[in-house]
Amino acid sequence: MSIDWKKYSLIAADILLGGYLLMAVTAFNTPDDEGMTCQRVDINVEDGAVRGFLDAKAVKNQLQRAGLYPEGDVMSQISVRRIEDALRKNPLVASAECYKTSTGRIEIVISQRLPVIRVLANNGDDYYIDSEGNIMPSTQYASNLLVATGNISKSYAKKMLTPIGKLVLDSPFWNSQIEQVNVLADGSVEMVPRVGNHVIYLGKPAGVSRKLERLKKFYRYGLSHAGWNKYKYISLEFDNQIICRKR
């Protein structure tokens, strides 16, 4: 009986390959150094159109207070899930991702909730509204962010002021020109500009983008020639017209 050397060679090769793969998987799943400690923590806080409340120092302080700052800890004992869960409980955090590297570093990436308007209501409320219409707690925050004052309930702020805040923030022109929104008792809206000693009356906060586009043209072709301080009151309440009251 002749021996099929080719068949046995293939079987032997399969056995060797299987053994190699088993060793590779085992080695992959076993840390190179069980005693490796975290050498560095990199914290990246992402900002959008406006700088948010959080920075790397604030995130580090939060983790230290919770006993979760991992620098110096054994890598195999660091729970990235616990770090993520702790950070996501922060009302200023939209999302948090944490992972380990093979070089002994912990990477933390945070996307934060960004404010679009600050509310200082007549009833004493002081808070921010983010781009999704959610209320953010008041905090120490120096910014040229639009401020809303007057008769403002939280539901009004979420529904009516969020679009105005986003519109102003997203426009370089209006972001540099409008500094305050004031809500009157009937829910109508006034705006206070940085340049020009006048009040802009929008009426009800509907079609604000169209109203501001009319105002922008009036600024360009009207006030630029007549003078920025000629009028004390500019009304955009009605479509296709601008009503001005002289000083």
Side-chain angles (χ1 to χ4, degrees):
M1 182 176 79
S2 61
I3 299 176
D4 189 344
W5 293 106
K6 183 177 181 181
K7 176 180 178 181
Y8 284 107
S9 297
L10 290 174
I11 293 174
D14 288 341
I15 293 173
L16 289 173
L17 180 59
Y20 171 79
L21 291 175
L22 180 62
M23 291 176 61
V25 169
T26 302
F28 180 78
N29 287 319
T30 302
D32 293 335
D33 185 355
E34 288 286 352
M36 178 183 289
T37 60
C38 175
Q39 302 299 313
R40 193 174 77 185
V41 180
D42 292 329
I43 301 173
N44 178 29
V45 181
E46 298 174 346
D47 284 322
V50 61
R51 185 177 179 274
F53 297 109
L54 289 175
D55 56 20
K57 182 179 180 180
V59 174
K60 178 179 179 180
N61 289 341
Q62 179 187 347
L63 292 177
Q64 286 177 329
R65 289 193 300 269
L68 292 173
Y69 192 68
E71 188 172 7
D73 293 345
V74 178
M75 291 290 286
S76 61
Q77 297 178 4
I78 296 172
S79 172
V80 295
R81 176 65 62 85
R82 288 186 64 198
I83 293 174
E84 290 175 345
D85 288 345
L87 292 174
R88 288 168 184 163
K89 291 178 181 177
N90 188 325
L92 304 179
V93 171
S95 66
E97 302 293 334
C98 179
Y99 58 91
K100 303 175 184 180
T101 73
S102 59
T103 56
R105 289 184 294 127
I106 295 293
E107 300 284 345
I108 299 174
V109 180
I110 289 178
S111 175
Q112 61 180 318
R113 295 167 58 192
L114 295 173
V116 296
I117 192 167
R118 183 177 184 180
V119 175
L120 296 171
N122 286 351
N123 61 9
D125 284 347
D126 180 0
Y127 54 87
Y128 293 83
I129 298 289
D130 72 9
S131 58
E132 302 300 321
N134 301 310
I135 292 177
M136 303 174 66
S138 178
T139 184
Q140 296 297 324
Y141 183 67
S143 172
N144 291 326
L145 202 65
L146 184 66
V147 175
T149 58
N151 297 268
I152 306 172
S153 65
K154 287 185 170 63
S155 60
Y156 183 98
K158 292 178 181 181
K159 184 177 180 181
M160 300 299 183
L161 295 183
T162 301
I164 295 177
K166 291 172 65 176
L167 177 63
V168 171
L169 185 63
D170 291 341
S171 167
F173 178 80
W174 293 119
N175 194 30
S176 62
Q177 172 64 1
I178 303 298
E179 66 178 351
Q180 182 181 346
V181 171
N182 186 53
V183 180
L184 304 180
D186 64 353
S188 59
V189 173
E190 297 174 335
M191 284 184 163
V192 180
R194 300 182 194 276
V195 179
N197 189 18
H198 56 266
V199 173
I200 304 159
Y201 182 67
L202 296 180
K204 298 298 182 181
V208 175
S209 179
R210 296 194 306 273
K211 293 176 181 179
L212 289 183
E213 188 59 32
R214 272 190 284 136
L215 180 60
K216 189 174 183 179
K217 292 178 181 179
F218 179 67
Y219 276 172
R220 181 179 300 170
Y221 302 111
L223 288 189
S224 61
H225 300 289
W228 285 86
N229 294 318
K230 182 176 182 178
Y231 302 107
K232 65 179 180 179
Y233 179 88
I234 299 174
S235 174
L236 307 169
E237 181 179 11
F238 304 108
D239 290 339
N240 302 318
Q241 61 178 300
I242 297 176
I243 301 173
C244 300
R245 187 181 303 160
K246 289 184 179 180
R247 186 166 305 285

